[in-house]
Amino acid sequence: MSRPDVMFIDDDPDIRQAIAQTMDLEDIRVECFADGPSCLKAISPDFGGVVLSDYNMPGMDGLDVLQAVRQVDDSIPVIILTGQGDISTAVTAVQQGAYDFIEKPFDHDELIELLRRALEKRQLALENRRLKTQLRLLARPGPRLLGESPPMQRLMSTIEPLLDISANILLRGETGAGKDAIARYIHENSPRGKHNFVAINCGAVPENLIESELFGHESGAFTGADKRRIGKFEHAHQGTLFLDEVESMPLPLQVKLLRVLEELKVERLGSNAAIDVDVRVIAATKADLKELSDKGDFRADLYYRLNVVQLEIPALRERKEDIAMLFHHFVLIAAARYERESIPLTASQAARLVQHSWPGNVRELRNQAERYVLLGPMALADDHSSESSDISGRQTLSEMMDAFERSAVVAALNACQGSIKNTMIQLGLARKTLYDKMKKHGLDKSEFKD
């Protein structure tokens, strides 16, 4: 269900029904609640709408609701419905931060106009907040995270408070989802950014060498060790150590890694001297480490030591809104690298990119962008460019019809700037039919409003 524009609170079921019908006729999504506590459970700081609350209610009255909503986010507009002649209550509400008040019985047009103004204010506040966050991110040197989709916005807002602390982080995501890029971003934008970022793929190093790679060795420690070598932990001192595919680490080595994480000391192979290290560890996995630890395939104590904070990296198919922007970004990089011209995508080419499932995630998209720069538009129709990059539209008739239907609804919503009434007219659909199709394709009219 799409999120409401208005959350309405009133203990009278007849009034709730009347308001719901009024909002529906005006193309305003509303969710009704019989009391304040049930409404407050549904409100979060990213709520993009307005709270409309009756004042006289048992238990939690309108002023109590106002204060509770302001504790969640003081920029959420709250409008209070008051009885006739209760001006003192209305004045108190405004003084305490209410957006406005309206008297019962209210004028229909006056209420709708008030709600629309409040919605505009809320959307402006959220947009300003988003732009300020983006400016902070873009002002930082080093790598950047790109994405306007809700999953990426949530991820970035979670990462932000982690930059200034040294807690270990566990990144979980599919192959190619960008775990390495996120680890580098965290490092570069943290106080450790001026020191080394050291990465090791635990699944790519032979089992007999990985201990030496991590902890180093002294000369003569084993056959072939003709000179001293410091390990990744020492090299990452005061910086960040990135352990990719940590689920591949042999169990005997997991014991030694746990000890290093607990004591913050390493011993090179062939030495008994403990060396102090100050390292932030960011581990990455495509597996469920908790499930592996329950099966005995990964040490539970190491899992909990690494999993101080866990970040779930969304797959590219879960953030389709970012595909065109990311593709353009990778095209610009490839064009500069190969000294080629950057050719803009056509609308149909962009649509095919979005329809593709991208099993290889961002890595696959980046490779596709490079082929596009080197081969031109034919790269997008080359079925043999890679095993997983068939984006030429090899679909069933039903899938093609669904894709066309979605693109037609998206185009109409864009042209009508999210107006359901105008979109209904343009597509020749009944209101319920249009809402059903929007729900089917995961579309929200608020995404198309200027």
Side-chain angles (χ1 to χ4, degrees):
M1 179 181 176
S2 55
R3 303 196 70 177
D5 299 314
V6 176
M7 291 189 179
F8 176 56
I9 311 170
D10 198 302
D11 59 325
D12 188 325
D14 294 332
I15 295 180
R16 292 200 301 274
Q17 183 178 10
I19 286 289
Q21 292 173 346
T22 298
M23 299 294 106
D24 187 54
L25 290 172
E26 292 296 332
D27 196 24
I28 296 176
R29 293 165 302 182
V30 63
E31 187 172 354
C32 297
F33 301 88
D35 54 69
S38 58
C39 175
L40 291 167
K41 290 179 182 177
I43 291 180
S44 61
D46 63 346
F47 171 54
V50 179
V51 174
L52 177 65
S53 176
D54 187 30
Y55 171 69
N56 286 304
M57 294 183 294
M60 190 178 217
D61 65 21
L63 292 181
D64 295 330
V65 169
L66 169 63
Q67 294 308 315
V69 171
R70 285 176 60 81
Q71 288 180 7
V72 175
D73 185 339
D74 61 8
S75 69
I76 297 176
V78 178
I79 299 172
I80 302 294
L81 285 174
T82 64
Q84 279 186 313
D86 200 0
I87 297 299
S88 61
T89 299
V91 170
T92 300
V94 172
Q95 288 175 340
Q96 293 184 10
Y99 176 77
D100 211 333
F101 67 93
I102 188 167
E103 285 187 326
K104 294 180 183 178
F106 50 82
D107 178 78
H108 170 277
D109 292 336
E110 182 184 354
L111 175 61
I112 297 302
E113 178 61 25
L114 184 59
L115 288 172
R116 293 197 189 281
R117 290 202 309 269
L119 280 169
E120 288 177 3
K121 179 182 179 183
R122 177 59 176 163
Q123 291 302 313
L124 182 60
L126 289 177
E127 180 66 11
N128 285 338
R129 183 181 301 169
R130 186 181 67 83
L131 290 174
K132 286 179 181 178
T133 300
Q134 282 188 338
L135 285 173
R136 286 198 302 272
L137 296 177
L138 293 174
R140 293 191 176 112
R144 299 186 178 97
L145 299 182
L146 298 177
E148 296 289 334
S149 62
M152 276 305 293
Q153 290 296 311
R154 286 194 294 271
L155 177 62
M156 285 189 274
S157 65
T158 304
I159 289 174
E160 186 73 14
L162 302 177
L163 298 178
D164 294 329
I165 61 176
S166 291
N168 294 334
I169 295 175
L170 180 62
L171 305 179
R172 185 182 174 197
E174 296 178 3
T175 298
K179 299 185 288 293
D180 178 88
I182 288 173
R184 289 180 184 274
Y185 174 85
I186 293 172
H187 169 75
E188 293 289 343
N189 291 283
S190 75
R192 295 177 177 270
K194 54 179 174 262
H195 300 285
N196 290 333
F197 176 85
V198 181
I200 181 171
N201 188 313
C202 301
V205 181
E207 186 171 340
N208 62 327
L209 294 179
I210 190 169
E211 183 175 359
S212 172
E213 283 291 312
L214 283 173
F215 308 132
H217 63 256
E218 296 290 347
S219 176
F222 52 85
T223 303
D226 54 352
K227 61 181 179 180
R228 171 187 288 178
R229 184 177 188 278
I230 69 168
K232 301 298 186 185
F233 264 97
E234 282 186 78
H235 190 49
H237 180 61
Q238 296 186 318
T240 302
L241 177 63
F242 177 53
L243 301 176
D244 199 6
E245 295 190 26
V246 70
E247 73 277 8
S248 304
M249 182 174 290
L251 283 169
L253 187 59
Q254 292 180 25
V255 179
K256 297 181 179 180
L257 175 61
L258 177 63
R259 181 178 176 184
V260 171
L261 294 178
E262 290 177 339
E263 299 179 357
L264 295 179
K265 296 177 185 293
V266 297
E267 291 182 9
R268 300 185 191 124
L269 291 179
S271 170
N272 293 320
I275 302 168
D276 291 330
V277 288
D278 172 17
V279 174
R280 179 187 210 171
V281 173
I282 300 179
T285 179
K286 58 180 179 291
D288 185 337
L289 290 190
K290 179 63 169 65
E291 183 178 324
L292 291 179
S293 68
D294 291 342
K295 294 178 180 177
D297 295 329
F298 194 87
R299 289 189 62 93
D301 45 8
L302 178 58
Y303 164 69
Y304 289 114
R305 174 63 66 175
L306 294 172
N307 189 33
V308 176
V309 178
Q310 180 167 322
L311 299 178
E312 295 285 341
I313 315 303
L316 190 55
R317 64 181 175 275
E318 297 169 357
R319 44 182 296 219
K320 288 183 177 291
E321 304 96 313
D322 298 334
I323 290 174
M325 175 181 62
L326 287 170
F327 187 82
H328 178 65
H329 172 71
F330 293 137
V331 163
L332 291 178
I333 293 174
R337 179 187 306 150
Y338 299 117
E339 298 183 350
R340 296 290 186 89
E341 181 183 0
S342 171
I343 305 173
L345 289 173
T346 66
S348 61
Q349 288 169 339
R352 287 205 301 274
L353 288 175
V354 172
Q355 290 167 19
H356 184 50
S357 61
W358 299 108
N361 290 293
V362 178
R363 183 180 298 136
E364 181 187 354
L365 182 68
R366 183 184 62 212
N367 292 341
Q368 186 70 41
E370 291 205 7
R371 283 192 291 271
Y372 178 75
V373 169
L374 294 172
L375 303 177
M378 65 175 289
L380 300 185
D382 183 3
D383 293 348
H384 308 289
S385 57
S386 77
E387 293 181 0
S388 61
S389 64
D390 178 10
I391 57 174
S392 60
R394 187 182 291 164
Q395 300 171 302
T396 65
L397 177 61
S398 175
E399 289 171 336
M400 287 189 284
M401 291 177 66
D402 279 346
F404 176 78
E405 180 181 82
R406 188 182 193 282
S407 63
V409 175
V410 167
L413 285 166
N414 269 322
C416 300
Q417 297 183 348
S419 168
I420 297 298
K421 285 184 179 178
N422 293 339
T423 304
M424 288 164 51
I425 295 171
Q426 181 164 324
L427 295 176
L429 297 176
R431 181 185 297 272
K432 184 179 185 305
T433 303
L434 176 58
Y435 273 124
D436 287 344
K437 293 186 182 300
M438 290 173 63
K439 182 178 180 181
K440 172 184 174 182
H441 298 296
L443 302 174
D444 190 326
K445 70 176 184 180
S446 63
E447 299 171 359
F448 303 91
K449 293 181 178 179
D450 289 340

